[in-house]
Amino acid sequence: MTQAPSRPKSERRRHDREIIALAVPAFGALVAEPLFVMVDSAVVGHLGTPQLAGLGIAAALLATAVSVFVFLAYATTAAVARRVGAGDLPSAIRQGMDGIWLALLLGLGVIAVTLPGAPWLVDLFGASGTAAPYATTYLRISSLGIPAMLIVLAATGVLRGLQDTRTPLYVAIAGFAANAMLNVGLVYGAGLGIAGSAWGTVIAQCGMAAAYLIVVVRGARLHGASLRPDAAGIRASAQAGVPLLVRTLALRAVLMIATAVAARLGDADVAAHQIILSLWSLMAFALDAIAIAGQAIIGRYLGAGDAEGARRACRRMVEWGVASGVLLGVLIVLARPLFIPLFTGDQTVRDTLLPALLVVALAQPIAGVVFVLDGVLMGAGDGPYLAGAMVVTLAVFAPVALLVPALGGGLTVLWWAMSLMMTVRMLTLWMRMRSGRWVVTGATR
């Protein structure tokens, strides 16, 4: 009787240790990724305004192309973690290799489209006559690094599935440092201008991909896993990724609609909206780190056949999500006098920004639950449900958001619509979690 209360505490501590061990390095790696573009912007910005504008357009196109294929990391994490839980490391690594081969094929396909289509893509984004040549140059050169970028995504998923988020952190830090040095050296030292910045990024990304491949190949040889491409395995990886691709596209559509609506509200509104999106992305890194831990932990429990362990881990991670969301919301409110002046000195933009920012702060606990349950269901391999839930969310959000300008609403009303979107996501994910249908044990779903 005296030991009964201590068991839940010991389980919570064990789950907390697992979450911290995976989430903290994952957060560091996530934050390192956008620093690539920041370094490029800082270096290219001194070349001139047209060069910087060209970089901005090309970087947006590249970010869109890579984000569409983020399922390479998510699907691979879940599949590898299940096999790890089942105690079959050779099969886990073999599954990871299938994801890496798929990443290479997709990367080559993107190159085939981007190289000849770069001028058209740049023009589609409305580049000015002075910025377009620089955007085209940067896009064409940087596209050569897309296979490496996608390999990094898939290999990151392999290591996360193997419960290793430290190696991706170390690789991300090394890649960031190499990118910074190469950019300065090639842009100014070699006098290559914006082309030097693009080549620096390509070389850094290829170096990161090589580092990951060395780790994965070493593991494959250690456990006797084949490195050769397997058509059936690659096809299975692609099929597992399709629902997550649909989910990602629907989420991107939500963000595009929100930005389009903000643009119709006026210059101050769209400027304030972009500031909020930047902060929202930063907070998303913190919550996504817990989701990544969820993918790895849940996949491992289900692969080991421990359904009850998976449920308990899920409950603990939801508690983490709520607590993290509350903390982030409080930080937004308390720190707003410090960071708002960093973004803008325009009083009109500040006045527009503040009430909308408070709405974002209030919605952070909801966002915490959404990110965690997203990670849990990804770890469970429940991609088809995630795709359907996100499409439903888009169907609810789109008409509400599009009505904002028509009804005379401003940016604050738009972000209430964004909060509605997050609430719908939370409800759909919560219903799935409560149903228990995501709990499917075994090495494969």
Side-chain angles (χ1 to χ4, degrees):
M1 293 293 291
T2 57
Q3 294 181 348
S6 65
R7 185 176 180 185
K9 288 184 179 180
S10 65
E11 285 185 352
R12 286 197 297 270
R13 284 196 296 268
R14 177 164 54 82
H15 289 316
D16 290 346
R17 285 195 298 269
E18 285 186 325
I19 294 168
I20 292 171
L22 291 170
V24 172
F27 175 71
L30 289 169
V31 170
E33 292 173 9
L35 293 179
F36 271 76
V37 177
M38 289 180 63
V39 168
D40 289 4
S41 299
V43 173
V44 171
H46 292 285
L47 294 174
T49 300
Q51 289 90 333
L52 184 59
L55 170 65
I57 293 167
L61 285 164
L62 288 166
T64 300
V66 174
S67 66
V68 164
F69 297 113
V70 74
F71 70 84
L72 289 166
Y74 294 157
T76 304
T77 297
V80 171
R82 274 186 174 268
R83 287 162 175 80
V84 169
D88 189 355
L89 282 176
S91 178
I93 296 173
R94 174 65 261 179
Q95 179 71 36
M97 285 304 305
D98 291 335
I100 290 172
W101 280 112
L102 175 62
L104 177 61
L105 293 174
L106 290 172
L108 293 175
V110 174
I111 288 179
V113 172
T114 307
L115 278 180
W120 177 79
L121 291 169
V122 167
D123 184 62
L124 186 66
F125 263 57
S128 67
T130 54
Y134 297 110
T136 301
T137 297
Y138 190 93
L139 182 59
R140 276 182 167 157
I141 296 172
S142 293
S143 69
L144 299 176
I146 286 179
M149 295 179 194
L150 300 189
I151 288 172
V152 166
L153 282 177
T156 299
V158 176
L159 294 181
R160 288 173 181 170
L162 294 171
Q163 317 297 296
D164 176 10
T165 55
R166 290 183 179 272
T167 299
L169 172 61
Y170 301 148
V171 174
I173 292 173
F176 167 72
N179 182 59
M181 291 186 291
L182 287 165
N183 263 263
V184 173
L186 294 175
V187 171
Y188 297 110
L192 296 179
I194 196 170
S197 177
W199 280 117
T201 301
V202 169
I203 295 169
Q205 292 285 354
C206 288
M208 291 172 67
Y212 275 118
L213 289 175
I214 289 171
V215 174
V216 174
V217 169
R218 185 182 298 154
R221 288 176 175 170
L222 179 64
H223 296 286
S226 173
L227 298 172
R228 294 180 180 178
D230 176 66
I234 294 171
R235 187 164 53 250
S237 293
Q239 289 172 347
V242 168
L244 295 180
L245 174 61
V246 172
R247 168 200 166 276
T248 300
L249 291 173
L251 182 56
R252 296 291 298 185
V254 165
L255 298 176
M256 289 175 64
I257 290 170
T259 300
V261 170
R264 293 172 62 187
L265 297 175
D267 290 346
D269 293 87
V270 74
H273 178 72
Q274 287 305 117
I275 293 171
I276 293 177
L277 276 182
S278 299
L279 294 169
W280 201 58
S281 298
L282 181 61
M283 292 180 291
F285 287 137
L287 298 175
D288 203 26
I290 304 174
I292 287 168
Q295 294 171 32
I297 293 170
I298 295 299
R300 192 189 73 231
Y301 272 114
L302 293 177
D306 188 355
E308 185 55 32
R311 291 189 183 95
R312 290 175 179 171
C314 173
R315 286 194 292 269
R316 188 57 177 163
M317 280 182 280
V318 168
E319 292 172 0
W320 268 75
V322 173
S324 300
V326 170
L327 177 61
L328 289 172
V330 171
L331 285 175
I332 291 171
V333 173
L334 295 180
R336 68 188 190 281
L338 300 176
F339 64 73
I340 290 179
L342 297 177
F343 286 97
T344 179
D346 189 322
Q347 190 59 46
T348 303
V349 175
R350 291 187 184 187
D351 292 341
T352 305
L353 173 65
L354 186 56
L357 198 59
L358 294 177
V359 174
V360 174
L362 288 172
Q364 285 311 293
I366 296 173
V369 176
V370 168
F371 274 81
V372 166
L373 291 181
D374 222 28
V376 166
L377 296 184
M378 284 182 190
D382 207 8
Y385 183 84
L386 287 170
M390 196 62 233
V391 170
V392 169
T393 301
L394 173 61
V396 172
F397 169 77
V400 174
L402 293 173
L403 280 172
V404 171
L407 298 178
L411 187 67
T412 302
V413 177
L414 174 60
W415 274 94
W416 276 118
M418 288 288 284
S419 298
L420 170 66
M421 178 272 295
M422 294 300 288
T423 302
V424 173
R425 287 187 71 189
M426 183 184 71
L427 291 175
T428 56
L429 298 176
W430 185 265
M431 288 168 55
R432 186 63 167 182
M433 189 272 287
R434 294 289 294 174
S435 74
R437 294 178 183 174
W438 59 276
V439 183
V440 180
T441 59
T444 57
R445 183 177 173 89

